Amino acid sequence: MAYQTLPTTSGQPLRIAVIGTGWIGAFHARTVAQYLPDAQLHVVADPAPGRAAELAAQLGCTNYTEDIADVFADKTVDAVVIGAPSAFHAGLITQAAAAGKHIFCEKPAAHALVDLDNALKAVENAGVLLQIGFNRRFSQDFASVAEQVNSGAIGTPQLLRSLTRDPEVAGGLPNAAKIRSHVIFTETLIHDFDTLNWLNPGAEVQEVHVMADALVAPEHRENGLLDTAVVTMRYSNGAIAVAEANFSASYGYDVRGEVFGSKGMVQAGNPVQLAASSFDAQGAHAPTERLNIELFAQAYRDQLSIFTRKIRGLREGSADAALAVPTGKDARAALRVALAALESSETGLPVKLESATRLAVNA
């Protein structure tokens, strides 16, 4: 199937294809089209009828396709941004690498370690860049925490914490009956696992222990729903970390991180993210963000800006080639923790990562 064409717009040298037109794919496509002056949104791809054409038209993109193979066959495509459903990530990484495209992929990079290992091998063989969408690494507050940890300002990390609380949605938890038990670990807490790994450099998770339940929508507990979880992690340097998640915070989107060390403590995140606040007889009031693409809007954009800069740096041999980005190795480390956490949630027992039997998500 060949591209179908909309009215032509001017382009930039670095041609990017966006695969997937859901909320995150559409956000990334908009970022490429409107916020990256050194890149061009060359094509939008999605197999769902009409979706790619609609988004391409909105963004003034020349090309769209419902056949993903068109993207990999197009020799003018320099890089792909994968925003498709996560079950397809590993396969799309493998195909993109085989086609010689640089790759930005949303988290998780895979649902199974064997699939991710195959994808990472394809990336290595092709010599292309693979960057994973762990956007918190590009948020100014989290980046500041990492800088202080790396500088030794707080000494040796001893206790770490990361949390993700999704905002409450009117009418209750959407599609609660369809949310499988792994989602809270592989789709939500995967960010927290990567954040904790990043903020405890040089150490590896050795053991995880989970308590989880359906507390937001208990009527779906028997369907396998887990909407609330606390994960305790022991690292190789002795540090103890806690990651927690809940799918329904009444006060808005809440993401925070903390590292306590031998010389001090540093924190990132605040549920009160907006400037305006009010005070009255009932007390103090402050609005909060309701979507992750609002709370982390700049971080989402910055990660793609760094992606394009790094590609150019690799091409030109400039200093930008050394820009730090979340890699396939980081994706694997976080996925190992997520799968071990899933196993612990099922057994109720601590799971040592070297002896974990959970290697993939059950469909």
Side-chain angles (χ1 to χ4, degrees), residues 283-342:
H285 311 278
T288 57
E289 298 288 15
R290 297 286 158 165
L291 295 172
N292 54 356
I293 54 176
E294 294 174 350
L295 180 61
F296 287 112
Q298 193 58 50
Y300 276 119
R301 293 172 186 141
D302 286 348
Q303 67 182 351
L304 285 183
S305 176
I306 294 295
F307 176 62
T308 58
R309 285 178 56 192
K310 190 171 179 74
I311 292 172
R312 292 189 180 281
L314 291 168
R315 283 181 170 183
E316 300 165 2
S318 70
D320 281 352
L323 287 168
V325 299
T327 65
K329 181 180 179 181
D330 297 316
R332 193 181 196 280
L335 181 61
R336 287 185 72 218
V337 177
L339 295 175
L342 176 56

Side-chain angles (χ1 to χ4, degrees), residues 16-357:
I16 295 179
V18 172
I19 300 173
T21 60
W23 66 268
I24 191 61
F27 189 92
H28 289 328
R30 190 164 289 108
T31 295
V32 175
Q34 299 176 352
Y35 291 92
L36 303 182
D38 60 341
Q40 173 199 8
L41 181 61
H42 179 66
V43 58
V44 176
D46 194 311
R51 293 286 298 271
E54 180 181 3
L55 183 59
Q58 290 175 7
L59 298 177
C61 177
T62 303
N63 304 308
Y64 68 92
T65 182
E66 295 173 5
D67 187 350
I68 307 302
D70 288 342
V71 171
F72 303 129
D74 185 347
K75 297 186 183 302
T76 69
V77 170
D78 299 300
V80 298
V81 172
I82 298 173
S86 59
F88 301 102
H89 287 181
L92 290 171
I93 291 171
T94 301
Q95 294 177 70
K101 315 300 184 188
H102 295 293
I103 307 157
F104 176 94
C105 183
E106 267 302 330
K107 55 77 195 171
H111 283 179
L113 287 177
V114 64
D115 294 337
L116 180 53
D117 287 342
N118 289 336
L120 296 184
K121 186 63 176 177
V123 169
E124 181 183 3
N125 290 340
V128 296
L129 168 65
L130 170 62
Q131 180 177 328
I132 305 300
F134 289 132
N135 60 287
R136 289 180 202 180
R137 295 191 182 212
F138 299 89
S139 180
Q140 291 185 357
D141 51 352
F142 280 89
S144 178
V145 169
E147 288 174 5
Q148 294 184 65
V149 170
N150 289 327
S151 73
I154 63 156
T156 303
Q158 296 173 347
L159 295 171
L160 300 93
R161 184 185 185 209
S162 182
L163 66 84
T164 301
R165 296 172 184 165
D166 292 341
E168 181 180 59
V169 177
L173 190 60
N175 301 312
K178 297 181 180 180
I179 300 175
R180 301 276 61 87
S181 59
H182 70 85
V183 169
I184 198 166
F185 305 113
T186 62
E187 303 283 349
T188 301
L189 281 164
I190 195 86
H191 275 299
D192 300 273
F193 299 148
D194 176 69
T195 297
L196 292 167
N197 288 344
W198 176 48
L199 296 180
N200 194 13
E204 296 183 354
V205 177
Q206 294 185 319
E207 182 179 84
V208 303
H209 193 193
V210 174
M211 294 186 71
D213 203 347
L215 302 181
V216 177
E219 67 275 17
H220 295 289
R221 183 180 290 115
E222 296 305 315
N223 295 331
L225 172 67
L226 294 176
D227 54 39
T228 306
V230 175
V231 183
T232 304
M233 306 153 63
R234 167 75 78 169
Y235 278 89
S236 57
N237 64 350
I240 300 171
V242 174
E244 68 168 76
N246 182 279
F247 287 167
S248 188
S250 61
Y251 54 87
Y253 196 52
D254 186 2
V255 174
R256 284 176 273 159
E258 176 182 292
V259 182
F260 173 90
S262 58
K263 295 181 180 179
M265 184 264 290
V266 62
Q267 295 178 322
N270 184 334
V272 182
Q273 295 289 339
L274 302 181
S277 58
S278 62
F279 302 84
D280 57 26
Q282 283 71 47
H285 311 278
T288 57
E289 298 288 15
R290 297 286 158 165
L291 295 172
N292 54 356
I293 54 176
E294 294 174 350
L295 180 61
F296 287 112
Q298 193 58 50
Y300 276 119
R301 293 172 186 141
D302 286 348
Q303 67 182 351
L304 285 183
S305 176
I306 294 295
F307 176 62
T308 58
R309 285 178 56 192
K310 190 171 179 74
I311 292 172
R312 292 189 180 281
L314 291 168
R315 283 181 170 183
E316 300 165 2
S318 70
D320 281 352
L323 287 168
V325 299
T327 65
K329 181 180 179 181
D330 297 316
R332 193 181 196 280
L335 181 61
R336 287 185 72 218
V337 177
L339 295 175
L342 176 56
E343 182 174 335
S344 178
S345 75
E346 294 175 348
T347 65
L349 300 173
V351 173
K352 293 186 181 298
L353 263 67
E354 69 267 19
S355 60
T357 59

